[in-house]
Amino acid sequence: MTQTPSCPPPLPEAEAEDGTEVNTEAENQSEDQTENKVENKAANKAGSKAENPAENQAESPDGPEAEDGFELAPPAPALTPGQAFDALYAFAAPALVRQAYLLTGRRELARESVERAFQLAWQRWPEVAVDRDPAGWVRAAAYEYAVSPWHRLRLRHRAPEPPPAALDDRRLLSVLLSLPPPYRRTVLLHDGLGIGLPETAAETEASTPAAAGRLLHAREVVAARVPELADPGELRLRLTELGSKESLRTAAKPVVVRSGSERRARRWTRAAIAFTVLLIGSTAFTLRTAPDHYEAPQAPAATISGVPPRSGSGPLSEEEQELRTKLRTMFQSGPERLHPELR
């Protein structure tokens, strides 16, 4: 008998290859479906972004760089109060010294005004830090101190200081100092610094028409005494040059100003506490020693006539002496003293 050779069984590797091919086809189909879903979502998202760009910006605060995969730089660290104060001081102090000199004509008073203004700013730093114009806050404080009339009572401010060397500068400074302080301040803010009229009026605590009137009067006075400065642009240029030409001593360092402000605040605090204690002590002493009821005042003494003078008894007569002896010897003891005789 002839046996027919049987077919060998399929190799396992072939089965594995066939199964791999089947699985690969299934995975390709699932990947195609996933890609279609992603494309549909991206198309829907792009359409919604085109329709509502504002909502898109609100939903994605990181911006386009974050969507593209770029990382934003970390924000800069916040400044401490001391660092912020030092930056403001370095930015505004030199210019304020020149402006205060144009207001007062005194170099030391200008420097002192700026230092005092920054000391006040450091005492009220929480208020100044959130102000929309911290430099303007300090400028207003420096101007107020510079034009204060109490400086006239100080001995060192009674003697005049040497004027500028140039003749034109002396004329301009003398014209400025001849103006009243509000007019001088108005023309310096508007024509010297280029600040708008409403802002100038607000800083000088005046209405806009009043500030405009002060500005026009100051320009008329300057044009009358210095005709070449009738143009406001030329006046502003000359004011800037006048402040820059003078050799003004710069204010102290910001650390010194801050420490001086703190010492000044401590002194005022201690003085207030001492005054309060003194007031309480004097009140308590007054309450302790003051009378608690009404006492009628004594009538003044008056001379009375008709009253005999006071005099002593004279010597005793014999009868009086006998009577005294009798009284001393009788009724010393016994019932007679308790029951006197009846006559």
Side-chain angles (χ1 to χ4, degrees):
M1 296 179 60
T2 305
Q3 296 182 354
T4 307
S6 60
C7 295
L11 296 175
E13 294 180 358
E15 293 180 357
E17 291 177 0
D18 296 339
T20 304
E21 292 178 358
V22 173
N23 294 336
T24 304
E25 292 178 358
E27 289 178 358
N28 292 335
Q29 292 178 359
S30 63
E31 288 179 359
D32 294 339
Q33 293 177 0
T34 305
E35 290 179 358
N36 293 333
K37 291 181 180 180
V38 172
E39 291 177 357
N40 294 334
K41 289 182 179 180
N44 295 333
K45 188 175 182 181
S48 63
K49 287 182 179 181
E51 293 176 357
N52 299 321
E55 295 180 359
N56 177 39
Q57 292 179 0
E59 291 176 357
S60 58
D62 295 336
E65 293 82 2
E67 294 180 357
D68 295 339
F70 296 100
E71 294 183 358
L72 296 176
L79 297 178
T80 62
Q83 293 174 346
F85 177 85
D86 295 348
L88 177 62
Y89 188 89
F91 170 75
L96 285 179
V97 173
R98 295 191 294 268
Q99 297 167 24
Y101 173 71
L102 296 178
L103 281 178
T104 60
R106 297 182 176 275
R107 299 167 178 83
E108 288 300 322
L109 181 58
R111 183 188 58 81
E112 180 183 352
S113 301
V114 175
E115 289 184 2
R116 186 64 58 87
F118 274 99
Q119 289 178 359
L120 184 62
W122 180 244
Q123 293 176 9
R124 304 180 182 178
W125 185 248
E127 173 188 348
V128 179
V130 298
D131 192 88
R132 62 188 183 94
D133 186 13
W137 194 100
V138 179
R139 180 178 63 241
Y143 284 13
E144 287 289 341
Y145 185 85
V147 299
S148 175
W150 296 104
H151 297 307
R152 302 173 185 174
L153 304 178
R154 303 171 67 178
L155 296 178
R156 63 176 181 176
H157 293 311
R158 292 182 180 179
E161 289 192 1
L167 177 60
D168 295 339
D169 296 340
R170 288 200 301 268
R171 291 172 58 191
L172 178 57
L173 185 60
S174 63
V175 171
L176 288 176
L177 297 180
S178 65
L179 295 172
Y183 293 77
R184 196 185 319 159
R185 186 174 177 180
T186 301
V187 72
L188 178 60
L189 288 173
H190 189 271
D191 290 345
L193 303 181
I195 299 177
L197 190 58
E199 292 78 8
T200 301
E203 187 164 334
T204 56
E205 298 179 355
S207 62
T208 303
R214 293 174 181 177
L215 181 62
L216 292 177
H217 176 75
R219 286 177 176 176
E220 290 176 359
V221 173
V222 173
R225 297 183 58 177
V226 187
E228 58 270 17
L229 298 181
D231 183 15
E234 185 66 22
L235 177 60
R236 179 179 182 181
L237 181 60
R238 288 293 306 279
L239 288 174
T240 305
E241 292 178 354
L242 177 59
S244 303
K245 286 181 180 178
E246 289 299 316
S247 57
L248 302 175
R249 189 162 64 94
T250 58
K253 295 182 179 180
V255 178
V256 178
V257 174
R258 283 194 280 115
S259 60
S261 175
E262 294 171 358
R263 287 196 303 269
R264 187 180 183 85
R266 286 195 295 267
R267 286 197 300 266
W268 277 106
T269 303
R270 293 170 183 172
I273 294 174
F275 178 76
T276 304
V277 172
L278 178 62
L279 183 60
I280 294 175
S282 60
T283 303
F285 178 78
T286 303
L287 294 176
R288 180 66 179 175
T289 58
D292 55 355
H293 61 279
Y294 176 75
E295 295 181 359
Q298 297 181 357
T303 305
I304 302 175
S305 59
V307 178
R310 181 181 300 177
S311 60
S313 59
L316 299 177
S317 62
E318 294 180 0
E319 295 179 354
E320 293 175 346
Q321 291 179 2
E322 291 177 359
L323 178 61
R324 184 181 63 180
T325 304
K326 183 179 178 180
L327 292 174
R328 288 179 178 177
T329 56
M330 293 176 63
F331 308 116
Q332 293 295 327
S333 61
E336 295 83 359
R337 187 173 181 82
L338 299 176
H339 302 283
E341 291 184 357
L342 297 178
R343 294 181 181 178

